[in-house]
Amino acid sequence: MAKPKVAIVVGSNRSESINRKLAQALAKLGADKFDAQLVRIDDLPMFNQDLESNLPAEVVRFKSELVAADGILIVTPEHDRSIPAVLKNAVDWGARPYGKNSWAGKPTFITGTSPGAIGTAIAQQHLRSIMVSLGTILQGGEAYITFKPDLIDAHSNIGDENMRKFLQGFLDQFATLITRLSPQPARPA
Ligand SMILES: Cc1cc2nc3c(=O)[nH]c(=O)nc-3n(C[C@H](O)[C@H](O)[C@H](O)COP(=O)(O)O)c2cc1C
């Protein structure tokens, strides 16, 4: 059976983003259970309701990537104790136009990293309340990751064994959640 498809949204447009590095490491760590692809958000125009009647090509692409995914993994920094503007912009495009919410019903796992002691906890809490309102099915638990220089090596491996096991546990639960919510093949009568 084909592995589930996971769309990864990284809430940073920074070239050396530590959250993109974490996202790539998670994609590698979960590769035996799902196929994960990063989706671009840095080229989406600033949300403007005037554009809804003729969606820009980048928005059409982004929304179709969400719709095609069996699950969504969001890996986000924290900006000023909330989510970065580039991520909120992507969330809004995903939710609109009215009646075309591309997030609805998607099993979603939220995590993120920052050098700070609480590792994006407040941003993740804000994002959770937003994504619940948009109808995603959120994975439980708390994965707040304090970034250290040796967290991820040059080959996208999580260096510390305890951290690797901690994150592997979340990815295993995420894969189970996706499978439980996926349409099941018809059983013979
Ligand atoms: C505008 C701005 C606001 C920030 N606010 C926070 C914050 O509230 N909490 C925090 O832990 N780090 C904060 N930081 C530091 C980020 O954690 C750090 O820049 C991190 O590298 C961002 O993730 P990225 O590399 O994936 O873009 C902030 C950084 C910027 C640029």
Side-chain angles (χ1 to χ4, degrees):
M1 211 168 74
K3 284 187 262 185
K5 282 193 283 186
V6 169
I8 307 184
V9 178
V10 175
S12 175
N13 50 8
R14 194 167 84 87
S15 53
E16 290 303 310
S17 165
I18 57 177
N19 283 277
R20 194 174 309 107
K21 290 186 173 118
L22 175 59
Q24 285 159 342
L26 292 173
K28 188 170 180 183
L29 197 58
D32 60 330
K33 295 211 162 69
F34 49 75
D35 287 324
Q37 299 289 335
L38 266 72
V39 301
R40 264 190 96 169
I41 62 169
D42 64 321
D43 63 344
L44 299 174
M46 178 63 75
F47 181 82
N48 183 335
Q49 210 173 345
D50 292 343
L51 300 177
E52 286 188 335
S53 54
N54 186 14
L55 289 180
E58 295 83 359
V59 174
V60 173
R61 182 209 66 223
F62 172 65
K63 288 177 71 67
S64 65
E65 287 171 333
L66 296 181
V67 169
D70 300 302
I72 311 277
L73 167 59
I74 306 180
V75 187
T76 186
E78 181 171 278
H79 277 185
D80 302 322
R81 298 294 182 220
S82 187
I83 65 171
V86 70
L87 177 58
K88 184 60 165 60
N89 189 49
V91 167
D92 290 345
W93 275 124
R96 297 291 301 185
Y98 182 77
K100 301 277 182 194
N101 175 4
S102 310
W103 303 106
K106 298 287 177 185
T108 301
F109 171 38
I110 292 172
T111 186
T113 187
S114 84
I118 55 172
T120 72
I122 300 174
Q124 288 191 45
Q125 282 307 114
H126 281 182
L127 185 59
R128 292 177 82 83
S129 76
I130 295 167
M131 298 315 289
V132 163
S133 80
L134 296 179
T136 61
I137 298 164
L138 288 186
Q139 181 172 335
E142 300 177 292
Y144 312 137
I145 315 298
T146 298
F147 188 83
K148 304 260 169 56
D150 58 354
L151 179 71
I152 298 156
D153 72 17
H155 305 287
S156 296
N157 298 307
I158 309 279
D160 179 74
E161 192 186 344
N162 287 335
M163 179 59 79
R164 193 166 57 248
K165 283 185 181 158
F166 175 74
L167 291 169
Q168 183 75 67
F170 277 99
L171 296 180
D172 291 348
Q173 287 171 27
F174 184 41
T176 302
L177 181 68
I178 293 171
T179 306
R180 285 194 180 155
L181 293 171
S182 296
Q184 301 298 312
R187 278 186 286 180

